[in-house]
Amino acid sequence: MDKFYITTPIYYVNSSAHIGHAYTNIACDCAARFNRINGKDVFFLTGTDEHGEKIKKAAQAQGKDPLSFVDAVSANFLNLWKILDISYDDFIRTTQQRHKNVVRKILIDLYDKGDIYKSQYKGFYCMPCESFWTETQVKEAGGCPECKRDVEEIVEENFFFKLSKYEQWLKDYLKENPDFIKPKTRYNEVIGFLENNKLEDLCITRPKQRVSWGIEFPLDNNYVVYVWFDALINYISAIGFGQGDKFDKIWPADVHMMAKDIIRHHAIFWPIMLKACGISLPKLVFAHGWWKIDEEKMSKSLGNIVNPIELGNEFGIDALRYFLMREIPLGVDGNFSRSSLIQRINSDLANDLGNLVFRVLNMADKYFQADINSIENKDIPNEFSSFVDSQFNDQYIYHMQALEFSCALEKIWSFISVMNKYIEDTKPWNLKKEGKIEELKHFIWSLIQGIRIVAVYIYPFMPQISRKILKNRLNCDDVWQSLVDSKNREGSVLKWACSWLPNGFLAEYKTDKKTPLFPRIDVS
Ligand code: MSP
């Protein structure tokens, strides 16, 4: 079976998770769930980045020692992922021994190869961003180029990693592999950066007297490892680098997902670290955009964060997942507002999908509850034909593989619109009046088939709603099971579950209308 390895960034534990973090993990979850039902052996990794002075300070501010502080905050992330239905396979914490061992091994390796050396470092340091800057950068920005705060001038002995030695190699690699970084704008940004800047060697240690909360540098115990060098290694430590089988089966990553703020770490430092260690490169580094509030990036320091748990409680987790994946294409920025969330819920979910399911199940109940399955004409209505063929299936797969989630959803919603229009145009109440019972039955049965197909396509985005439709509303337990068991199955279940007459399909439709899937949100 083909494998698919996808990673999220590992999140800092100095602040609580917000909708921006949730966005990355939901996007990765959609990709992971899609690939599972499409027959891949998926490994989905997330985790927390737990070292560095910022984190120690945050612990101190709460009167805690760093370890109990990071234990508590990483537990919050785990809890959030559970609430948001994130189907990760492993959760790595940089304070875990399995991670520290690999970081040490890599450093010793690189030292032995001559890629690490000791030298004097002069620079301007920004404590909150944990970044060093050159004098010119600080002058141009009037402070830290990232957060604009004041910086501190520092001169100290440190260890360096020879990034510059690999500069030409990286340039050549990127030229030859234009699909390594996506979207294109980010690829161009990285290429532009490399053309306009000479790569400086990377300072990869911090003296313990200044930064104590970190992995001890294996070559000199007066130092700890720079957090970014430590953090990037999570992608290989989590899957057992250096221990054989598991690593060889899973690596290289198929997608490293993150927001654009950390593209350079992933597209410059990380490939060079891997190259220097003789490890193959990930297939794709994908940087999505930022969720902003009033055109400002959402962040704890700006005090404009939106809490995903509160939103989920208010509107439902699947509605939130849908909104985030549908509202903006992965890769561009979006402005978050409650009103656009409510608008999406009311129009796409309550009106289009929710109403369709409710109306069809009502009609099925009213006219034929008992013999909805005793249908003779099983033809696809003409109106549906371009939505239940293999071309449609292929297009859906194409968009999902390309991480074009909003396009995939648009396609599904075009089928939903067609089904709603089919109801308007057919006027089933007239068929009933005119005694065209076979036609009426075919009409309702076809809509139920269509709803089953839609419920499969939306599974990566809205797993709970997909379950409610398939199991609780339509009695299609076998289709639902095929989705959740896809981990243990050979091959894709997608084509089967989305075909008009799935071979070996067991369900006898037993419709149950229950309550609406999505209550309308009152905006008055
Ligand atoms: N610890 C580093 C990552 C190390 S990966 C080896 C880090 N952590 S972070 O907590 O700051 O998380 C940054 C990531 O959170 C972004 O790359 C993105 O995935 C997500 N987001 C944080 N704010 C966001 C928005 N406002 N909008 C979209 N994504 C956001 O950087």
Side-chain angles (χ1 to χ4, degrees), residues 371-379 438 441-442 445 501:
D371 63 351
I372 189 76
N373 297 292
S374 65
I375 174 111
E376 271 170 26
N377 173 10
K378 294 190 172 174
D379 294 347
E438 272 313 306
K441 212 191 261 184
H442 176 250
W445 180 86
L501 296 171

Side-chain angles (χ1 to χ4, degrees), residues 124 133-143 145:
F124 291 85
W133 304 101
T134 61
E135 196 169 356
T136 338
Q137 285 171 317
V138 169
K139 272 196 182 143
E140 269 175 16

Side-chain angles (χ1 to χ4, degrees), residues 5 42 142:
Y5 177 29
V42 171

